[in-house]
Amino acid sequence: MEVSEIRDRADPGQSWPDRGTKDSSTRIDSRVQGHGSRLSKVNLFTLLSLWMELFPQEQPEEEDHSQIRGMGLVVVRDRKVVGLHCSGPELHAGQAAIIQHGACLANCQLYFSRRPCATCLKMIINAGVSQISFWPGDPEVSMLRSPSTNHSNSHSHSPPDSISEEAALDAVAAEKLKSNSRPHICVLLQPLTPGLAQFVDETSRECDFMERMTDDEPGLNAEELFNREQTRHRKDFSRQFLVETSRQHQEILTQMGLENFCVEPYFSNLRHNMMELVDVLAAVAAGLPQQHYGFYREQRSAPEPSLAKFSLPPCHEGLPQEVARHCMIQARLLAYRTEDPKVGVGAVIWAKGQSAGSDGTGCLYLVGCGYNAYPAGSHYAEYPQMDNKQEDRQRRKYRYIIHAEQNALTFRTRGIKPEEATMLFVTKCPCDECVPLIRGAGITHIYTTDQDRDKDKVDISYLRFSRLKTISKFIWQRSPAVCSASSPHLGNGYVGKHSRQAEQESHNNKKLRTNRSLDSPSVN
């Protein structure tokens, strides 16, 4: 097996040195230019594949004694994501990709969360893909569990010396397929750029979703909540993706025919690089805490007469909270590929089909995804990079940067069908420049945070979002049960904007009174 590490040559140089800016979402300061922290595409695709492995299943799988582990898969064409897949009750992730893309997989790159089984590998090779990358941990045909182990008990390990005949045969077949295949089959896993892990941690603690929670609940200890969530996720993800001990991992690599991966210092570096990705994923996931918050439909008033000619979105009570949160974390991962020197934004568009497929995403099909960046083919330093705090408007970035929603719509992988609910997940409230595009494209539902709603920053404003009546909006906010308990006049998962503004004004007044009382001794 060839061990490959490649450089992401298309990454423009940039620097995100300052963590002190107060603007929300993923924030970067542009005062210093040059090579700096940015998530490489190789690591982005790897992270997305790991996260897709954890896609919430609508129905728990029945008992399965086949030793097959669920997997995540990212399909990339021309350096753009064209498919996000995961294993389901009937199809493996690789089989789901074959069913959906067919011959269109030719010349694509596939990123798996673990090595695919020989059954999937033979079809993928036959489709003409150009590259297959995977994390070399416990493979799809697990070597850590005996055939009699219940599939739902993912943490029951058998000793390495009791690897089943099925797993051993699959490993031999996969190696033979690799040695005789056209695609480049490798492990692409890069160390993080210096400072990126710290940057992800700090920006996740202060993202729009965390900021909304601290605005709504002044007494909330957000730091403690984030730390608790991050620790829990780090433990869960390490258990999921890192073989428990180095000895077990080396044994698995040997059984897969990857003895050269066991050589030091490469083996330790390999595990270290994965631990770094696990830490990044844990920090990003902790930015959307699972505590009394979720995406709830904003209550819609009676339609205006002028909107009578427009069709309202189909009845849709919203996705399960686990699925909505999962899709938003996909968008947050994409945000760390931004070329915007200050605010990183990510967007993912999913459509809900008429019937469920056989893979793990159920009725959902990827339409497109993107992040904010300068026009394709341009060099990063060619364009202005300043924000609205700069007096010289000619040096501001706003007329040049492509927004995440715009990239997701431009490079979508399938058409938007009027009869399907099409859902946009975006990490920041859509601005006035994007709202007409979202409506014109046929998006029916938006999942987002509304921290910038109704703000006018001259070069960029968010005034149209509140007036967007023909699209259902699901806003990150406290759950209906919590809202009803604290404010009985608010229900149905809706927190009125004026009520939230009043809460914030009250909080600010209390804060002001507190500050005055603290300042009074020094005045006297």
Side-chain angles (χ1 to χ4, degrees), residues 160-202:
D161 56 0
S162 66
I163 291 173
S164 71
E165 181 183 9
E166 185 67 28
L169 289 172
D170 184 80
V172 171
E175 181 62 20
K176 187 174 290 291
L177 284 165
K178 180 265 171 185
S179 62
N180 289 283
S181 67
R182 293 169 295 174
H184 182 51
I185 303 178
C186 55
V187 173
L188 299 178
L189 193 62
Q190 299 172 335
L192 297 182
T193 54
L196 179 58
Q198 181 184 358
F199 176 70
V200 173
D201 183 277
E202 292 176 357

Side-chain angles (χ1 to χ4, degrees), residues 44 48 51-52 55 84 284 323 325-335 346-348 350 366 425 427:
L44 171 65
L48 287 172
W51 187 237
M52 282 304 299
F55 195 95
L84 294 173
V284 173
V323 176
R325 180 176 175 274
H326 191 279
C327 294
M328 188 60 74
I329 291 173
Q330 295 168 1
R332 288 213 64 232
L333 288 170
L334 286 158
V348 181
W350 289 89
L366 181 71
F425 297 82
T427 59

Side-chain angles (χ1 to χ4, degrees), residues 68 71 92 115-122 140-141 170 174 177:
I68 302 299
M71 247 192 354
H92 299 186
R115 195 193 67 174
C117 66
T119 300
C120 294
L121 193 57
K122 65 183 181 184
E140 189 169 29
V141 180
D170 184 80
L177 284 165

